[in-house]
Amino acid sequence: MKFIIVAGTPGAGKTAVLVHTLKILLQQNVKPSVVKIDCLYSDDPKRFAKLGVPVQLGLSMDMCPDHFSIYNTDAILEFAKEQNSEFLIMETAGLCHRCAPYTNNSLGVCVIDATSGPNNPMKVGPFLSCADIVVITKGDMISQAEREIFRECILETNPNCSIIEANGLSGQGASELALQIRSTEKLVSENESLRHNAPFAVCTLCAGEKRVGAEHHRGLLRKMNGMQEYVGE
Amino acid sequence: MEIHQITIQAGIDKLGNTERLPDLQINKGEIYGIVGPTGSGKSQLIADIEQLAQGDTASKRKILINGEIPSHELRSDPRKKMVAQLSQNMNFFADMPVADFLKLHAKCRGKKNIDVKHVISIANTLTGEPINASDNLTILSGGQTRALMVADVAIISESPIVLIDEIENAGIKKHEALQLLSGEGKIILVVTHDPVLALSAQKRIIMKNGCMRDIIESTYREKQISLQLNDIDQYILTLREDVRAGKKIEEVNFDALLHESSFLKCL
C-alpha cells in the first residue's frame, strides 16, 4: 500500500487541496482511503465522504495530534487494508510543527500558506524540511516577488523537495499533486519509523500539571539560556 | 533564449464550455489590452500566462513559448523566468525592511548588480510620500506598496513578457508607471478598466464569463480618441495633484481643454 501523509499549518488549505486532488484521483480510477486526524472537532470527513471515498476520523483530544497519529499508524493502515485501498491518504492537524509525521516509506506532503511570510519556512521545522512535496497555497494573494522569495526560502530549508503551487479554491496544482501521488514508488512496510525524532515530551505537563514555572515541573527540560537538564528522580 | 511569440491555447469558460476564440498568438513588440466586466476572468488570463499554464489551472488554458511547451524549469525557476507580473495586490505580507526585500528578490531572480537605492528612487517618482530603505514593508501605504511593486517588476523582474493588472487603481502615476514597465520588443498585456489605457493598446482582448470572447484591433479613429482622452486625463491628473497638495481649485476650463487637445490638432 502507498501511504501519503499530508501535514500543514492550520488554515493553510490542506483539506481544500486534498478534495480537488481526490476528485482527480477518482476520475483516474484510483480508489484511496482517507484518514483525518484532528484535535477536538472536524467537519472534514463529511467533505471527503461526499466524494465517495472511505473516511475515518481520529480525534486526539488531550494527546498531541501528531503523537496520536504516530501511535495509531497500525490501526490507520488496517482501516485502509479493510477497504482494499491501494492508497491511504492521511491528513494530520499537527500543531507545534516540531514533529514531522512522515514515516520513511510514506510520501510526505507539506501544505504551507504563502501569506504566512518568508520567515515561516525557517520557523516551521521538520514537517517542512523532511517533506517530499511542498504545496504552497494562497500564492494568488501575494505579489509575484513575494511568491518567488517564499519559494526560495522553502528550497533553502528543503533543497530536495518538489514544489507545487496550488490554489485550494480553483483546484490549481491538484492535477500535479495527483500525478505525484500516483507515481510514488514507495510502499509502506511492516516496520515503519519516523524520518525525524519528535521533540522530548517527557514532562509533568504531559501528565496534566497546570501550574506554571520551574518549581512545578520535572522531566527533561530546557531553560531560556539553552541549558537542558533532567529534573527528577 | 529569445522569445518571439507566445500562444494562448483555448481553455474553458466558467460553465465548462470551450473558449470561443481559437489559439491566440502574441508577437514580440505587441501590446494587448484585456478588458471586460469584473469577474470576467481577466486576472485569471494573466495568471495563466504568469504560470505558463499547461491545462492545470481553473481555465484549462495552455501557454506555449515560441510554439513549444515550456520546460519545467522555465515554468518554476525564478532565475529562468521570462514573465514579470504586476498583480492587483495592494499589500505586502513579508515582515522585513524594504532594502532587505529587494536584495532577497534580486537574489531569487539571479540578478547580481541591482542597486537597491536606485529601485527605491524609481518607486519614489511614482508615489506621493517617499519610501525609505529602512521602512518595514508592512507599514507602506497602498500607493507606496504599488509604486515599490512597479519599480521591482520594472528593474528586478525585468523580463521579455510583462503582465500588468489594473495599474490605474492605486493612486500612483499610471502613465509614468506604464512607461517604466514597457520597453522595446516586449510582449505586454495590460488588464484595465480605463478607456485611456485600453484604447492606447494596439489590440484588446474582450473577456466574458471566464473566457476570451473577441479581439478588437484599435482603429485609427480610436487612436485619435485615445490621444484626446489622454489630454483630458493629464488635465485631471494635474487637478488631482493640486487637490492632494492642498490647493484650492478656482476654475476648470473645459472649453480650452477640448480645443487644445491633440485630437483637434490631428484634424
Side-chain angles (χ1 to χ4, degrees), chain B residues 2-32:
Chain B
E2 205 191 322
I3 296 183
H4 46 86
Q5 188 184 62
I6 60 169
T7 308
I8 304 172
Q9 288 191 331
I12 53 170
D13 71 8
K14 286 183 181 171
L15 300 172
N17 304 313
T18 310
E19 207 156 18
R20 261 186 16 195
L21 284 185
D23 295 357
L24 171 64
Q25 267 109 16
I26 304 178
N27 296 311
K28 195 176 157 182
E30 287 189 312
I31 301 178
Y32 271 70

XYZ file of all heavy atoms in Angstrom, chain B residues 2-32:
247
model
N 15.570 33.471 -26.667
C 14.826 34.661 -27.078
C 13.364 34.299 -27.344
O 13.066 33.252 -27.912
C 15.457 35.267 -28.330
C 15.127 36.743 -28.405
C 15.492 37.344 -29.748
O 16.538 36.965 -30.303
O 14.696 38.165 -30.214
N 12.490 35.174 -26.913
C 11.067 34.907 -27.104
C 10.557 35.757 -28.252
O 10.703 36.978 -28.236
C 10.280 35.266 -25.836
C 10.734 34.345 -24.718
C 8.784 35.149 -26.068
C 9.991 34.551 -23.451
N 10.000 35.125 -29.270
C 9.402 35.957 -30.307
C 7.889 35.816 -30.365
O 7.219 36.583 -31.029
C 10.055 35.720 -31.681
C 10.233 34.277 -32.031
N 9.237 33.562 -32.619
C 11.280 33.440 -31.838
C 9.681 32.320 -32.798
N 10.902 32.218 -32.335
N 7.361 34.835 -29.626
C 5.902 34.665 -29.684
C 5.404 33.838 -28.488
O 6.073 32.896 -28.063
C 5.560 33.918 -30.973
C 4.085 33.822 -31.264
C 3.837 32.976 -32.497
O 4.159 31.796 -32.521
N 3.279 33.591 -33.527
N 4.231 34.224 -27.963
C 3.555 33.302 -27.055
C 2.206 32.916 -27.664
O 1.613 33.683 -28.429
C 3.348 33.859 -25.619
C 2.493 35.130 -25.612
C 4.665 34.093 -24.922
C 2.053 35.542 -24.212
N 1.750 31.717 -27.344
C 0.463 31.243 -27.840
C -0.425 30.933 -26.646
O 0.006 30.267 -25.708
C 0.651 29.953 -28.664
O 1.646 30.194 -29.651
C -0.642 29.521 -29.332
N -1.657 31.472 -26.696
C -2.633 31.114 -25.663
C -3.582 30.113 -26.297
O -4.348 30.452 -27.202
C -3.406 32.358 -25.169
C -2.429 33.434 -24.672
C -4.394 31.976 -24.068
C -3.094 34.771 -24.339
N -3.509 28.872 -25.855
C -4.411 27.846 -26.393
C -5.712 27.860 -25.599
O -5.695 27.898 -24.369
C -3.757 26.468 -26.318
C -2.645 26.307 -27.332
C -2.166 24.862 -27.452
O -2.245 24.096 -26.491
N -1.677 24.501 -28.627
N -6.818 27.817 -26.329
C -8.138 27.975 -25.733
C -8.380 26.999 -24.585
O -7.940 25.857 -24.619
C -9.203 27.778 -26.808
N -9.072 27.494 -23.555
C -9.457 26.656 -22.420
C -10.967 26.575 -22.338
O -11.641 26.434 -23.366
N -11.490 26.711 -21.120
C -12.941 26.635 -20.929
C -13.426 27.873 -20.174
O -12.654 28.517 -19.486
C -13.349 25.368 -20.136
C -12.548 25.271 -18.818
C -13.133 24.120 -20.973
C -13.052 24.201 -17.880
N -14.722 28.169 -20.332
C -15.286 29.288 -19.573
C -15.756 28.780 -18.212
O -15.524 27.628 -17.846
C -16.392 29.994 -20.373
C -17.659 29.161 -20.504
O -17.751 28.093 -19.857
O -18.564 29.560 -21.273
N -16.450 29.657 -17.464
C -16.835 29.281 -16.104
C -17.826 28.121 -16.068
O -17.987 27.450 -15.053
C -17.431 30.483 -15.382
C -16.381 31.502 -14.987
C -17.022 32.631 -14.224
C -15.988 33.659 -13.857
N -16.610 34.874 -13.307
N -18.558 27.931 -17.176
C -19.546 26.848 -17.202
C -18.960 25.568 -17.795
O -19.652 24.549 -17.910
C -20.768 27.274 -18.029
C -21.496 28.509 -17.509
C -22.570 28.969 -18.487
C -22.107 28.232 -16.140
N -17.703 25.640 -18.182
C -17.064 24.441 -18.733
C -17.144 24.343 -20.248
O -16.704 23.362 -20.839
N -17.716 25.370 -20.903
C -17.769 25.362 -22.370
C -16.419 25.783 -22.953
O -15.707 26.586 -22.352
C -18.831 26.347 -22.877
C -20.189 26.051 -22.285
O -20.620 24.901 -22.265
N -20.834 27.084 -21.747
N -16.109 25.282 -24.119
C -14.841 25.612 -24.755
C -14.790 27.090 -25.115
O -15.786 27.656 -25.575
C -14.659 24.778 -26.034
O -14.906 23.423 -25.681
C -13.252 24.904 -26.588
N -13.640 27.670 -24.904
C -13.442 29.079 -25.216
C -13.670 29.290 -26.714
O -13.188 28.511 -27.530
C -11.999 29.452 -24.847
C -11.800 30.875 -24.498
C -10.563 31.035 -23.595
O -9.717 30.138 -23.536
O -10.474 32.075 -22.966
N -14.416 30.353 -27.051
C -14.832 30.504 -28.439
C -13.709 30.869 -29.395
O -13.712 30.489 -30.551
C -15.940 31.549 -28.530
C -17.294 30.908 -28.601
C -18.420 31.869 -28.838
N -18.075 33.197 -29.313
C -18.924 34.213 -29.282
N -20.123 34.032 -28.791
N -18.586 35.388 -29.736
N -12.738 31.634 -28.867
C -11.666 32.069 -29.770
C -10.689 30.930 -30.020
O -10.406 30.156 -29.128
C -10.903 33.227 -29.139
C -11.571 34.583 -29.148
C -10.609 35.614 -28.596
C -12.002 34.974 -30.549
N -10.164 30.864 -31.233
C -9.102 29.880 -31.478
C -7.817 30.330 -30.792
O -7.797 31.364 -30.134
C -8.956 29.911 -32.997
C -9.451 31.257 -33.407
C -10.468 31.674 -32.399
N -6.760 29.548 -30.949
C -5.487 29.897 -30.316
C -5.077 31.325 -30.670
O -5.216 31.755 -31.807
C -4.383 28.956 -30.791
C -4.653 27.529 -30.338
O -5.660 27.334 -29.620
O -3.881 26.650 -30.705
N -4.569 32.023 -29.678
C -4.161 33.412 -29.899
C -2.641 33.519 -29.831
O -2.024 33.082 -28.859
C -4.801 34.294 -28.810
C -4.330 35.744 -28.741
C -4.682 36.500 -30.006
C -4.941 36.438 -27.533
N -2.056 34.069 -30.904
C -0.611 34.274 -30.915
C -0.292 35.734 -30.659
O -0.875 36.615 -31.288
C -0.012 33.862 -32.270
C 0.468 32.423 -32.310
C -0.413 31.541 -33.158
O -1.208 32.045 -33.943
N -0.306 30.237 -32.982
N 0.605 35.987 -29.729
C 1.032 37.359 -29.458
C 2.530 37.444 -29.744
O 3.307 36.626 -29.248
C 0.730 37.753 -27.997
C -0.772 37.564 -27.700
C 1.158 39.196 -27.729
C -1.177 37.885 -26.280
N 2.887 38.407 -30.575
C 4.276 38.501 -31.013
C 5.058 39.553 -30.236
O 4.479 40.486 -29.665
C 4.327 38.846 -32.506
C 3.710 37.734 -33.329
O 4.045 36.559 -33.150
N 2.787 38.095 -34.206
N 6.351 39.363 -30.253
C 7.296 40.306 -29.668
C 6.964 41.732 -30.118
O 6.701 41.958 -31.304
C 8.683 39.904 -30.187
C 9.822 40.494 -29.476
C 11.115 39.934 -30.042
C 12.221 40.913 -29.741
N 13.500 40.506 -30.278
N 6.938 42.669 -29.176
C 6.676 44.064 -29.520
C 5.204 44.446 -29.476
O 4.869 45.621 -29.603
N 4.315 43.471 -29.289
C 2.882 43.795 -29.292
C 2.380 44.149 -27.889
O 2.815 43.551 -26.902
C 2.064 42.616 -29.837
C 2.211 42.459 -31.339
C 1.242 41.434 -31.918
O 1.131 40.320 -31.364
O 0.607 41.757 -32.928
N 1.451 45.099 -27.857
C 0.802 45.464 -26.590
C -0.685 45.143 -26.694
O -1.360 45.614 -27.610
C 0.988 46.966 -26.268
C 2.479 47.303 -26.176
C 0.278 47.326 -24.980
C 2.755 48.770 -25.908
N -1.162 44.317 -25.778
C -2.580 43.948 -25.756
C -3.237 44.512 -24.500
O -2.667 44.431 -23.414
C -2.726 42.419 -25.724
C -2.769 41.757 -27.086
C -1.635 41.708 -27.883
C -3.955 41.165 -27.547
C -1.677 41.083 -29.118
C -3.998 40.537 -28.783
C -2.854 40.505 -29.573
O -2.893 39.883 -30.797
